[in-house]
Amino acid sequence: MHRYQSLTTLLVLPLFCLSIVACQPGIPKNALVLSPESLANRQLQTRIFETKDEKLLLSAGAAVLQDSGFQLDETEPRLGVIVASRDRDVLDAREVILSLCMALLCLPRSMAQKQKVLASLSTKPIDDKRIAARITFQHMVWNTDNQLIKNEGMNDPKIYEEFFAKLSKSIFLVAHEM
Amino acid sequence: MTRRMQCFMFIGIVALSLILLGCASTQKDILATRESQLKLRTIQSRAFDTNDHQRVLRVTIATLQDLGFVIDKANETLGTVSGTKRSGYTLRMTVSARPWGDNQVIVRSNAQYNLQTVEDPEPYQQFFFALSKALFLDAQQVE
């Protein structure tokens, strides 16, 4: 009896291990459902400009992204799309000091080290006189152990207000070839 | 069988199983899917009654942005749009639109959740529901 039990354990346990390896959580239920916040997010991310020149708007948007240190990864003017990204160091001096103090107490801690910000700007003519411009930002943050600690959309209204304020100025500069 | 031998045998079986599993997933089966090619196409495709292929692509971009995606790539000539949603997880999606006859556009989408290909019909139904609402058109099943 004891021998059969051992053999059963030997056979069942590896299968159990394999089933755990094979089981990964699937796509979240509402990942592709419009959320109640989607309308508010759209308003936050969109401004309407009184122009019929879509290329001018895209050029001005590209210039703002370049002004902000972004690299342009993809442009498709026929669909009104610009994709850009920016890698930056986010190591904070106060965090470094805190981590050093913690290390001295034998309590090592990791901190945010680098960030990748992704942006996509899209334009869409509304009628003969107006075009809507929409910008969306996401970011990924890695810590000093090179682990991904943030992987999410950015919804701070200040970022969007700042972008559109710069875009309004940029349209003027591009239109006047400055 | 001594307890020590049993222990070694157990560790050996687990290690062998994991090695076999690892070998299978790296070079073989890179084109394999759980569902059949035809079934996947049916799950991932819808026809819309419009001949404005560019409008479908522009509305697709807007719908992806509404769903929290950032656009990665767009190409009007090939009729493709790719985007990624980051919300603790990474969901990548590619949508292609091509004219079908004189009055229809076929939209095909495929998604990848983290490292898994999405083959469940429900997320695609949800995506096409959002897209058809934005297009003001009904999404028709493609046979």
Side-chain angles (χ1 to χ4, degrees):
Chain A
M1 185 69 189
H2 180 71
R3 195 172 172 173
Y4 282 120
Q5 273 183 345
S6 306
L7 273 172
T8 313
T9 313
L10 279 173
L11 288 170
V12 170
L13 269 175
L15 286 173
F16 178 68
C17 292
L18 285 177
S19 66
I20 288 174
V21 171
C23 277
Q24 291 171 356
I27 179 169
K29 278 259 172 218
N30 295 325
L32 291 172
V33 175
L34 290 172
S35 67
E37 305 87 47
S38 66
L39 183 63
N41 285 339
R42 190 196 298 172
Q43 286 168 346
L44 179 73
Q45 296 163 354
T46 310
R47 293 290 183 281
I48 293 166
F49 292 89
E50 292 204 0
T51 175
K52 55 182 179 182
D53 192 343
E54 195 176 9
K55 279 187 185 162
L56 169 84
L57 193 52
L58 283 169
S59 298
V64 173
L65 288 165
Q66 285 182 296
D67 292 344
S68 309
F70 280 77
Q71 298 293 318
L72 302 186
D73 300 325
E74 181 83 12
T75 52
E76 177 51 289
R78 284 175 295 181
L79 293 176
V81 170
I82 292 176
V83 180
S85 62
R86 181 187 180 192
D87 294 295
R88 63 188 202 121
D89 193 336
V90 287
L91 212 54
D92 184 47
R94 283 171 299 181
E95 286 280 310
V96 174
I97 294 166
L98 186 63
S99 291
L100 281 172
C101 295
M102 296 289 273
L104 287 173
L105 297 168
C106 296
L107 294 167
R109 67 190 282 274
S110 57
M111 56 199 154
Q113 186 184 34
K114 67 183 177 177
Q115 181 190 37
K116 188 178 187 79
V117 183
L118 304 125
S120 64
L121 173 69
S122 66
T123 52
K124 197 174 162 207
I126 299 171
D127 50 40
D128 292 345
K129 291 177 185 168
R130 296 177 304 159
I131 300 173
R134 182 173 186 176
I135 183 97
T136 42
F137 291 104
Q138 288 177 350
H139 71 154
M140 292 182 278
V141 180
W142 288 267
N143 66 12
T144 41
D145 295 330
N146 217 20
Q147 291 166 325
L148 186 65
I149 52 169
K150 272 187 190 167
N151 187 30
E152 60 193 17
M154 300 169 92
N155 283 323
D156 181 356
K158 281 182 193 163
I159 303 170
Y160 294 92
E161 282 159 18
E162 190 184 336
F163 176 81
F164 286 116
K166 285 182 175 176
L167 182 59
S168 301
K169 278 184 198 164
S170 182
I171 290 169
F172 176 80
L173 293 173
V174 172
H176 291 83
E177 295 181 357
M178 289 165 84
Chain B
M1 203 185 285
T2 65
R3 202 159 187 81
R4 204 172 165 187
M5 271 178 72
Q6 279 180 355
C7 192
F8 277 129
M9 217 172 131
F10 170 67
I11 292 167
I13 290 174
V14 173
L16 187 71
S17 311
L18 289 176
I19 288 164
L20 287 174
L21 198 77
C23 287
S25 61
T26 52
Q27 294 206 22
K28 283 184 187 173
D29 303 331
I30 56 162
L31 299 176
T33 50
R34 274 187 292 126
E35 300 292 351
S36 74
Q37 194 178 358
L38 189 66
K39 192 173 174 192
L40 263 184
R41 282 191 183 205
T42 309
I43 289 170
Q44 297 174 345
S45 305
R46 294 291 185 280
F48 292 92
D49 287 335
T50 175
N51 54 10
D52 194 345
H53 165 244
Q54 204 193 61
R55 179 174 168 253
V56 173
L57 286 169
R58 282 183 181 260
V59 174
T60 299
I61 291 167
T63 305
L64 287 171
Q65 286 181 313
D66 280 345
L67 291 168
F69 283 76
V70 155
I71 305 303
D72 299 324
K73 284 182 192 305
N75 189 306
E76 200 250 3
T77 313
L78 296 176
T80 56
V81 177
S82 302
T84 305
K85 180 174 181 173
R86 294 179 178 84
S87 185
Y89 54 82
T90 303
L91 178 62
R92 293 180 63 203
M93 200 152 185
T94 294
V95 183
S96 62
R98 63 191 162 95
W100 185 254
D102 291 337
N103 295 311
Q104 280 195 315
V105 171
I106 300 254
V107 178
R108 164 99 189 251
S109 62
N110 68 305
Q112 184 179 312
Y113 171 72
N114 292 334
L115 299 176
Q116 288 174 273
T117 305
V118 178
E119 295 179 9
D120 178 12
E122 199 183 343
Y124 295 104
Q125 285 162 8
Q126 292 167 343
F127 170 72
F128 285 118
F129 178 72
L131 182 63
S132 60
K133 256 176 74 174
L135 275 168
F136 300 112
L137 290 169
D138 287 332
Q140 295 159 31
Q141 194 84 40
V142 180
E143 295 299 330

